[in-house]
Amino acid sequence: MSVEVLDGTTILSLVEDEEAFNTLIKDRFACLDTNHDGLLSYGEMLKELQSLRVLETHFGIDLKTDPDKLAHIYGSLFLQFDHDANGAIDMEEFKAEMKQMMLAMANDLGFLPVQMALEEDSFLKKAVELESTKTAA
């Protein structure tokens, strides 16, 4: 984990760089698709959903949450990705939903820089790294 400074334009740059975004999506999808069938089951997607840390609410400290509430939240998130409601997420569904999530984050952050603690392999960390390579060139 590292602390980085970013704003909405950092995230937008990643989403708008089609090659970088597609590569990131393909890599993450391949990592999650543990049985290599080209689809993400709920079990395969659960780790990714948990990494969103939707319930971390107090200065980086996880709060105890009712397991039934957690199951409901992760089930709802899975359904948001599963556009055709077939019980599995394909690459296009994953890409479309990740793009929407990234754009929503960019919109919420706006143009004022904020400091965030980012996981090393997170989408936001990749956005910061892409921005660093562009400004260094």
Side-chain angles (χ1 to χ4, degrees):
M1 187 173 293
S2 64
V3 176
E4 305 289 344
V5 176
L6 69 152
D7 64 14
T9 59
T10 305
I11 299 168
L12 280 176
S13 288
L14 173 63
V15 174
E16 290 172 350
D17 185 331
E18 213 170 301
E19 183 179 342
F21 186 72
N22 287 339
T23 298
L24 184 58
I25 291 294
K26 287 177 187 174
D27 290 349
R28 182 60 60 103
F29 190 90
C31 181
L32 296 172
D33 186 14
T34 56
N35 67 359
H36 310 291
D37 67 353
L39 298 170
L40 299 178
S41 66
Y42 177 77
E44 289 171 318
M45 189 65 182
L46 186 58
K47 180 182 175 189
E48 188 74 1
L49 296 174
Q50 291 169 333
S51 77
L52 297 173
R53 302 181 67 77
V54 294
L55 298 176
E56 179 183 357
T57 58
H58 189 69
F59 300 106
I61 298 171
D62 291 327
L63 302 175
K64 286 211 177 246
T65 305
D66 176 16
D68 291 335
K69 182 178 179 181
L70 279 176
H72 177 72
I73 290 169
Y74 292 136
S76 296
L77 286 170
F78 182 83
L79 291 175
Q80 186 171 336
F81 277 82
D82 186 13
H83 297 169
D84 61 8
N86 69 349
I89 300 166
D90 64 31
M91 175 77 78
E92 289 306 311
E93 290 171 319
F94 184 72
K95 179 181 172 183
E97 199 57 38
M98 289 306 296
K99 183 175 187 176
Q100 289 305 310
M101 289 175 69
M102 298 292 285
L103 291 172
M105 280 189 263
N107 188 48
D108 286 346
L109 280 177
F111 299 104
L112 293 175
V114 295
Q115 224 176 14
M116 296 178 82
L118 303 177
E119 300 286 336
E120 289 306 313
D121 64 343
S122 71
F123 280 88
L124 294 180
K125 177 70 174 178
K126 300 295 182 190
V128 170
E129 290 169 356
L130 179 66
E131 182 178 62
S132 296
T133 60
K134 287 181 176 181
T135 57

